[in-house]
Amino acid sequence: MARVIVVTSGKGGVGKTTTSASFATGLAQRGYKTAVIDFDVGLRNLDLIMGCERRVVYDFVNVINREANLNQALIKDKRVENLYILPASQTRDKEALSHEGVERIFEELQQNDFEYVVCDSPAGIERGALMALYFADEALIVTNPEVSSVRDSDRILGILASKSRRAEQGDEPVKEHLVLSRYAPIRATNGDMLTVDDVVEILSIPLLGVIPDSQSVLQSSNAGVPIVLDETSDAGQAYADLVGRFLGEDLPHRFLTPEKKNFFKRLFKGN
Amino acid sequence: MTLESITRFLAEDSSPFELKGSLFTLTVMHLRRTDWDAVAYHLAQKVRQAPGFFNNIPVVVDLQALSPDATVDFGELWNLLRRQGMVPVGVRNGASQLQTAAVRAGFAVLPENRALTPKPNDQAVSAVAKHNKIIHQPIRSGQQVYAPDGDLILLGPISVGAEVLADGNIHVYGTLRGRALAGVKGDIEARIFCTNLEAELVSIAGRYRTIEELEPENRDTPVQLYLSEDRLIISPLPK
């Protein structure tokens, strides 16, 4: 059975696509056949982060409209075995996402022995976001340590609990995981940002990972390399830990406290 | 004869009859005016609409709408009803002097309408019939939960931007950050209990209050909210 995991947040710009790319890549690195789908029809980004924008021929909407079959549209990643990307259409809008069409794609992925399907949700609580979360078994809620992001995450948690297929059919609820990204321990300690404990307390869902705020995330995004592949960066390591924890490993949370020495060391190295 | 001997006498098999209580549905005529010509005219109209239905049916006359010092010719009323084929049996409600006059004309006096004099245990019955609602999950921003006709019991936190409402009390065993409105149908006795109050807005029976700054004694401690002389009071729960 393919597990469907939606990466969502309500708010835009918090790191959904970065998380989707690294999470899917991490799962594939560990040997699971994984597909990552860009639900942000009209504002396609995932292909850029994954570094496959020049290989897009057919997209998600083409498959929904039966203009191409799934295997034609799926892009096989060049770096990691078992990883496939289904890009969004840039020329269409979210109305192109039909219930039947999306469901059919999930069924086909199932038949093709995919073990994990990661859905990169668009921001907002409209059609695109609703379609991305509808079929989910689990959800990664990406939140930044600031109040508006936390409130929007709270809103999307409410929607997951009422508008997902599991909620509608009265099945076991969607399993929720908190991903706190752009976390700057020094600023949280100074009171400029919410702390990990604040966010966990407000959202009251289990914490899957904390991704430190890092320059390397921007650099790797621009280079089209999921940050999890950069083993030297703290954010990359944090994503690798996050994937391990998702798969049931008991790993302590790192990068939660400011490390002054390392901070200056990195500053002078320009890393 | 004592009461005891009467009951023994009545209970004996040799008695030619048995007295038992029973309930009947009776037609009640709510008398508004004692203008007999008008009454006779309207009564005849009614009877014409359903001839046979009113034949020999017992009728009770309700005197509630009449003024206490009205003079009513009950003999005339009796004749009037009989002329239309009805059998007057008694009166109910109304001032005592009206009832006395009715008895003199041969009417019985029936007990007062129960709906007009609510008994104290009516309230107890409605309390038992409450529909309380228990929610185990957190209430998220944008969600709204309402407990009609009862209390709302919440076992998780209520987020900012969420709204919880109840006709009765609201109990929160978590942090209350959203809005809580108790007694929304106007029950001024309703209360809100909560283990940690950080609410945006609280309301009881429509008296609301936004909370920008909470008094120090109510911070990080279980509190209750209630109305006292139309003012919304927040106070720590007794330890």
Side-chain angles (χ1 to χ4, degrees):
Chain A
M1 274 302 269
R3 256 337 241 178
V4 178
I5 301 132
V6 61
V7 179
T8 186
S9 68
K11 198 172 172 64
V14 294
K16 282 184 297 298
T17 302
T18 303
T19 300
S20 299
S22 278
F23 182 61
T25 305
L27 289 170
Q29 271 183 318
R30 286 162 184 261
Y32 296 99
K33 190 171 178 186
T34 305
V36 53
I37 306 178
D38 190 350
F39 272 79
D40 207 348
V41 177
L43 293 166
R44 183 175 100 190
N45 279 165
L46 182 69
D47 52 326
L48 285 171
I49 310 285
M50 297 292 293
C52 63
E53 73 275 13
R54 300 194 160 274
R55 296 167 60 207
V56 176
V57 180
Y58 295 108
D59 59 47
F60 195 16
V61 174
N62 291 138
V63 184
I64 286 175
N65 294 341
R66 296 180 190 272
E67 292 151 2
N69 66 40
L70 183 62
N71 287 329
Q72 287 175 299
L74 279 175
I75 301 170
K76 194 176 184 318
D77 192 81
K78 280 187 171 168
R79 296 162 296 227
V80 183
E81 193 76 0
N82 299 317
L83 181 60
Y84 296 82
I85 300 114
L86 183 56
S89 173
Q90 185 68 357
T91 53
R92 308 293 286 270
D93 62 34
K94 311 281 194 278
E95 296 308 308
L97 296 171
S98 75
H99 239 274
E100 303 71 34
V102 175
E103 188 167 18
R104 199 184 73 239
I105 290 175
F106 280 120
E107 279 164 12
E108 274 187 54
L109 289 167
Q110 191 92 32
Q111 285 155 17
N112 287 324
D113 301 323
F114 277 92
E115 287 161 289
Y116 289 105
V117 180
V118 178
C119 304
D120 181 21
S121 171
I125 51 171
E126 284 79 32
R127 188 177 181 85
L130 295 180
M131 289 303 299
L133 66 80
Y134 185 75
F135 296 97
D137 300 307
E138 305 195 36
L140 304 193
I141 309 297
V142 185
T143 306
N144 289 171
E146 48 105 13
V147 283
S148 61
S149 170
V150 173
R151 183 182 293 187
D152 291 359
S153 292
D154 192 62
R155 181 88 170 92
I156 211 84
L157 281 164
I159 291 169
L160 268 171
S162 59
K163 297 218 171 130
S164 62
R165 182 165 68 174
R166 282 174 172 266
E168 279 182 6
Q169 297 184 347
D171 295 341
E172 202 183 309
V174 176
K175 196 173 173 193
E176 300 148 343
H177 307 272
L178 176 62
V179 178
L180 191 58
S181 63
R182 297 241 168 97
Y183 192 67
I186 186 90
R187 297 185 64 193
T189 317
N190 293 343
D192 301 340
M193 268 184 180
L194 296 176
T195 67
V196 178
D197 291 342
D198 291 338
V199 180
V200 171
E201 216 259 310
I202 295 170
L203 293 178
S204 49
I205 58 169
L207 180 68
L208 184 65
V210 178
I211 312 301
D213 193 22
S214 166
Q215 275 298 313
S216 53
V217 174
L218 188 63
Q219 287 159 7
S220 76
S221 287
N222 287 335
V225 181
I227 185 71
V228 74
L229 294 175
D230 180 358
E231 286 161 12
T232 61
S233 106
D234 48 1
Q237 291 170 30
Y239 271 117
D241 285 1
L242 179 152
V243 173
R245 259 179 238 120
F246 181 84
L247 295 170
E249 290 169 29
D250 186 15
L251 300 169
H253 289 284
R254 296 192 277 167
F255 318 112
L256 299 187
T257 47
E259 288 171 57
K260 270 213 158 95
K261 239 183 172 173
N262 279 348
F263 180 73
F264 283 113
K265 216 159 68 184
R266 261 190 234 116
L267 200 70
F268 292 125
K269 274 187 179 172
N271 188 4
Chain B
M1 249 187 196
T2 62
L3 184 67
E4 199 185 342
S5 62
I6 293 171
T7 37
R8 202 186 312 125
F9 190 66
L10 288 174
E12 271 175 30
D13 286 341
S14 61
S15 169
F17 58 83
E18 235 184 310
L19 278 181
K20 278 187 172 175
S22 192
L23 291 168
F24 297 96
T25 307
L26 293 175
T27 304
V28 179
M29 177 192 214
H30 293 266
L31 199 57
R32 297 199 197 104
R33 280 178 291 150
T34 53
D35 173 3
W36 298 133
D37 289 340
V39 174
Y41 174 76
H42 285 279
L43 206 56
Q45 289 268 308
K46 281 267 180 241
V47 172
R48 210 173 302 129
Q49 279 168 19
F53 177 75
F54 293 102
N55 212 9
N56 289 322
I57 63 156
V59 174
V60 175
V61 182
D62 192 310
L63 307 173
Q64 181 78 32
L66 297 181
S67 97
D69 47 16
T71 48
V72 182
D73 185 352
F74 282 98
E76 181 54 32
L77 177 61
W78 182 285
N79 294 334
L80 206 146
L81 289 165
R82 285 301 297 153
R83 275 202 292 279
Q84 296 300 337
M86 299 176 187
V87 184
V89 292
V91 295
R92 76 164 186 198
N93 298 331
S96 63
Q97 58 99 355
L98 283 175
Q99 292 191 348
T100 316
V103 169
R104 233 177 278 132
F107 285 84
V109 175
L110 278 81
E112 285 192 350
N113 192 354
R114 268 190 60 223
L116 295 171
T117 51
K119 291 195 181 129
N121 69 348
D122 274 5
Q123 258 186 333
V125 171
S126 68
V128 173
K130 266 184 171 182
H131 297 289
N132 298 330
K133 199 179 220 175
I134 303 183
I135 310 280
H136 298 263
Q137 295 83 24
I139 311 296
R140 306 289 183 184
S141 180
Q143 290 183 317
Q144 194 185 49
V145 179
Y146 175 42
D149 310 321
D151 286 7
L152 181 58
I153 299 136
L154 301 142
L155 300 177
I158 290 98
S159 296
V160 173
E163 198 169 72
V164 293
L165 309 99
D167 285 354
N169 308 304
I170 296 177
H171 312 254
V172 185
Y173 299 95
T175 305
L176 173 58
R177 297 194 178 87
R179 295 162 165 247
L181 298 92
V184 292
K185 291 231 181 92
D187 181 5
I188 56 167
E189 297 293 315
R191 291 187 179 210
I192 299 170
F193 303 89
C194 118
T195 51
N196 191 10
L197 182 70
E198 291 178 21
E200 300 171 291
L201 179 143
V202 285
S203 162
I204 292 172
R207 276 66 148 193
Y208 67 88
R209 176 172 162 181
T210 56
I211 301 179
E212 287 183 29
E213 193 67 30
L214 204 60
E215 298 81 3
E217 70 267 24
N218 294 327
R219 272 183 218 146
D220 301 317
T221 186
V223 293
Q224 62 169 329
L225 296 87
Y226 56 93
L227 285 181
S228 170
E229 292 167 357
D230 230 32
R231 279 188 36 161
L232 218 171
I233 309 292
I234 304 175
S235 74
L237 279 176
K239 292 261 160 54

